[in-house]
């Protein structure tokens, strides 16, 4: 059985050397593994949240598509498409929006960060916050669930959005009585290369310290390498390779044997100027063949368009049947199908109910949430090293008397079993604690009756 892996790339910038080593190269390599059904898409709807410059978005779509193809992405093996070429994605986004609790969106990191910044400035908390930013996690969920991806490689800052996608999928499946959606698993690449930029900080456009991958050609690459910050050790003095940004960059594009030679040269006193020249020549040797393909693709955008359209056709063959099922599930049926009496097709006979949702957090620990019937988060557990322990505590919360395990704690509340706090009110909740505690009691009572 194949594992479907989905990767999105936001089209707001030009790929640099750090993007290639940290994300592009490992993703392309992973797509060639047996048993992997890889989906790669240009997240151009997401770009509109971050960028209001249409020329920049349009140029970035071209540059990013050309980059992925130039570095070896096999568009015939994978499914490579633009998000905006799949009309089923925004349609699914709306269906998911209609079952997503606002309280969940209130806790999204990006939205909370914007609110915190506004509060610190003394302006309205929602100043400058668009609905695109606020509901970004729902669109991300639609990207993933549209193709029922099994694994989604993301950085740690995106883990919360993957957990939200799982919660939204579970909510939809529960409401409409069938497992329409696979619950995606987050894939954190622990060994992803993080390259230093010109100033030694992480290479990032936000720091303006990047080294170009293809743009500007060999001349721009050499100019950037020559600007890398080094220490004051003179030629002839031994250099500390491990603390050298030059060595870190060299090693990311070299074999162990090549890295060992460069390291010895540094330790033997190679001057920084010569070391930079050696790094440039080493990078140029590896990037030049790919850059030649990139330049050719940029000069022939029609070839890229044909590839993306073929990818969109391939993706829509997956999206259309699922979207037709979902439209029927929510009641948007063709009238020729005849009137439907009673509950909608696929609906469970039992009423909507509360539920537990288990997940792994960004440290690898196991946790669970108690959600109300409307999707509001009522309890968030502590972190457990053993998933069996987390499962046992969920069952005990479901079976034991709510009055015995629930306690008011300051402005919030906790769930205590055997004298140990196992769960508490989620961070940032608002409203009367006693009223919310009543909701928790009701939710646990309804679970105990199942």
């Amino acid at each position: 059985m194949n594992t479907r892996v989905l990767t999105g790339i936001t089209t707001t910038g030009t790929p640099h050397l750090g993007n290639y080593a940290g994300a592009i190269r490992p993703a392309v390599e992973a797509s060639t593994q047996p048993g992997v059904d890889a989906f790669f898409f240009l997240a151009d709807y997401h770009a509109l949240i971050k960028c209001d410059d249409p020329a920049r978005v349009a140029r970035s779509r071209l540059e990013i598509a050309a980059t992925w193809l130039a570095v070896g992405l096999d568009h015939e093996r994978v499914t490579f498409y633009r998000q905006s070429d799949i009309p089923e994605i925004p349609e699914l986004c709306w269906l998911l929006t209609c079952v997503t609790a606002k309280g969940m969106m209130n806790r999204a990191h990006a939205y909370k960060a914007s609110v915190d910044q506004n509060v610190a400035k003394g302006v309205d908390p929602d100043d400058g916050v668009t609905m695109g930013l606020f509901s970004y996690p729902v669109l991300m969920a639609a990207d993933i669930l549209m193709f029922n991806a099994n694994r989604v490689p993301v950085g740690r800052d995106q883990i919360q959005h993957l957990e939200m996608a799982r919660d939204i999928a579970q909510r939809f499946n529960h409401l409409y009585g069938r497992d329409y959606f696979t619950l995606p698993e987050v894939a954190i690449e622990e060994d992803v290369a993080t390259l230093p930029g010109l100033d030694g900080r992480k290479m990032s456009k936000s720091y303006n310290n990047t080294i170009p991958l293809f743009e500007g050609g060999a001349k721009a690459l050499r100019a950037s390498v020559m600007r890398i910050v080094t220490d004051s050790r003179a030629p002839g003095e031994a250099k500390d390779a491990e603390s050298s940004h030059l060595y870190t960059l060299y090693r990311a594009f070299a074999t162990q044997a090549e890295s060992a030679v460069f390291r010895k040269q540094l330790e033997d006193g190679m001057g920084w100027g010569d070391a930079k020249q050696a790094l440039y020549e080493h990078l140029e040797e590896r990037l030049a063949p790919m850059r030649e393909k990139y330049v050719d693709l940029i000069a022939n955008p029609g070839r890229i368009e044909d590839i993306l359209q073929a990818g969109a056709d391939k993706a829509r063959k997956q999206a259309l049947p699922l979207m037709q099922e979902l439209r029927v599930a929510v009641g948007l049926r063709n009238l020729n199908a005849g009137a439907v009496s009673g509950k909608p097709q696929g609906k469970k006979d039992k009423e909507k109910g509360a539920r537990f949702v288990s997940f792994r957090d960004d440290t690898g620990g196991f946790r669970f949430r108690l959600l109300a019937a409307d999707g509001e988060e009522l309890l968030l557990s502590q972190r457990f090293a053993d998933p069996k322990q987390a499962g046992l505590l969920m069952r005990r919360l479901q079976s034991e008397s709510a009055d015995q395990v629930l306690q008011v704690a300051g402005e919030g509340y906790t769930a205590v079993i055997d004298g140990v706090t196992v769960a508490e009110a989620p961070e940032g909740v608002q409203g009367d604690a006693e009223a919310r505690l009543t909701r928790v009691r009701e939710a646990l009572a309804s679970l105990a009756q199942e």
Side-chain angles (χ1 to χ4, degrees):
M1 179 178 176
N2 286 344
T3 298
R4 182 162 291 175
V5 181
L6 182 140
T7 301
I9 311 100
T10 306
T11 56
T12 53
T14 303
H16 55 71
L17 199 66
N19 297 143
Y20 173 68
I24 298 173
R25 181 174 62 185
V28 171
E29 291 174 350
S31 72
T32 65
Q33 299 303 308
V36 171
D37 180 18
F39 278 57
F40 292 88
F41 70 95
L42 305 180
D44 46 2
Y45 279 145
H46 287 291
L48 304 183
I49 299 171
K50 304 176 181 179
C51 181
D52 58 5
D53 180 353
R56 175 65 270 174
V57 172
R59 180 66 185 178
S60 180
R61 296 202 311 170
L62 174 64
E63 291 172 343
I64 290 176
T67 297
W68 282 82
L69 294 170
V71 303
L73 184 69
D74 185 348
H75 61 88
E76 294 185 352
R77 178 187 178 97
V78 307
T79 304
F80 184 47
Y81 58 98
R82 276 181 303 233
Q83 184 186 34
S84 59
D85 286 333
I86 316 297
E88 292 76 20
I89 291 176
E91 183 177 3
L92 174 58
C93 182
W94 180 248
L95 298 189
L96 298 180
T97 297
C98 292
V99 303
T100 300
K102 178 178 178 290
M104 181 190 295
M105 294 297 97
N106 288 341
R107 294 188 287 276
H109 294 327
Y111 172 64
K112 287 178 64 177
S114 295
V115 169
D116 290 344
Q117 290 172 8
N118 285 335
V119 170
K121 293 176 184 176
V123 299
D124 185 271
D126 286 328
D127 184 59
V129 175
T130 66
M131 285 305 298
L133 172 65
F134 183 73
S135 58
Y136 165 87
V138 186
L139 179 55
M140 183 171 173
D143 295 326
I144 297 165
L145 301 178
M146 185 79 265
F147 301 105
N148 276 320
N150 304 109
R151 295 173 64 245
V152 183
V154 295
R156 291 194 175 276
D157 61 334
Q158 291 288 322
I159 290 177
Q160 184 197 43
H161 291 153
L162 258 294
E163 296 298 343
M164 286 180 168
R166 288 175 59 90
D167 287 349
I168 293 168
Q170 287 181 311
R171 174 66 175 158
F172 191 98
N173 290 346
H174 176 76
L175 279 173
Y176 295 105
R178 226 184 76 195
D179 288 341
Y180 292 97
F181 299 122
T182 298
L183 302 187
E185 296 291 339
V186 63
I188 300 295
E189 303 292 343
E190 298 292 353
D191 297 326
V192 166
T194 300
L195 298 189
L198 303 179
D199 57 3
R201 293 181 293 177
K202 176 185 176 181
M203 193 179 297
S204 171
K205 290 187 289 290
S206 61
Y207 294 147
N208 194 29
N209 67 350
T210 61
I211 298 174
L213 180 60
F214 298 139
E215 286 298 305
K219 183 177 180 180
L221 176 64
R222 186 179 188 281
S224 294
V225 169
M226 293 301 166
R227 290 169 51 207
I228 296 173
V229 173
T230 56
D231 61 31
S232 59
R233 299 182 201 191
E237 288 187 68
K239 311 299 189 294
D240 180 4
E242 287 300 325
S243 65
S244 166
H245 308 319
L246 299 181
Y247 178 66
T248 301
L249 288 162
Y250 193 101
R251 186 172 53 188
F253 295 89
T255 64
Q256 288 187 348
E258 291 169 334
S259 299
V261 171
F262 188 60
R263 180 187 185 117
K264 188 173 188 308
Q265 290 173 328
L266 290 173
E267 293 173 344
D268 287 346
M270 174 188 276
W272 287 126
D274 291 337
K276 290 179 179 181
Q277 181 64 25
L279 172 61
Y280 157 69
E281 292 175 357
H282 182 75
L283 291 174
E284 177 63 13
E285 181 181 358
R286 281 147 184 79
L287 298 181
M290 295 187 291
R291 187 193 303 126
E292 184 178 351
K293 296 177 184 177
Y294 173 83
V295 171
D296 181 56
L297 286 163
I298 290 290
N300 295 278
R303 287 171 53 194
I304 301 177
E305 184 66 26
D306 288 345
I307 290 170
L308 290 172
Q309 288 299 330
D313 289 343
K314 186 177 177 181
R316 293 196 71 196
K317 287 179 181 177
Q318 301 278 342
L320 275 166
L322 176 59
M323 202 64 233
Q324 289 170 355
E325 287 187 57
L326 299 176
R327 288 175 65 86
V328 170
V330 301
L332 305 179
R333 301 178 183 85
N334 188 315
L335 296 180
N336 291 329
V340 179
S341 61
K343 292 185 178 181
Q345 179 181 348
K347 196 81 164 181
K348 287 185 178 178
D349 290 334
K350 65 180 182 179
E351 295 297 318
K352 310 170 189 176
R355 64 204 181 279
F356 282 110
V357 176
S358 58
F359 65 99
R360 293 188 73 171
D361 65 15
D362 55 3
T363 70
F366 296 91
R367 308 179 77 172
F368 59 83
R369 298 186 178 98
L370 173 64
L371 303 181
D374 62 3
E376 181 184 5
E377 185 176 348
L378 302 176
L379 278 174
L380 175 63
S381 79
Q382 305 298 326
R383 183 179 295 110
F384 303 100
D386 184 357
K388 294 181 180 178
Q389 183 183 10
L392 174 62
L393 290 171
M394 278 193 290
R395 289 191 291 274
R396 290 192 61 182
L397 283 173
Q398 186 171 342
S399 62
E400 297 193 11
S401 169
D403 289 333
Q404 293 180 356
V405 298
L406 296 176
Q407 300 178 7
V408 174
E411 297 182 357
Y413 49 85
T414 61
V416 179
I417 293 179
D418 297 335
V420 177
T421 297
V422 298
E424 57 192 3
E427 180 183 354
V429 296
Q430 299 177 347
D432 179 63
E434 188 57 45
R436 292 181 59 81
L437 195 55
T438 298
R439 292 205 74 193
V440 181
R441 291 191 185 98
E442 291 172 350
L444 291 175
S446 68
L447 287 171
Q449 295 173 5
E450 294 184 356

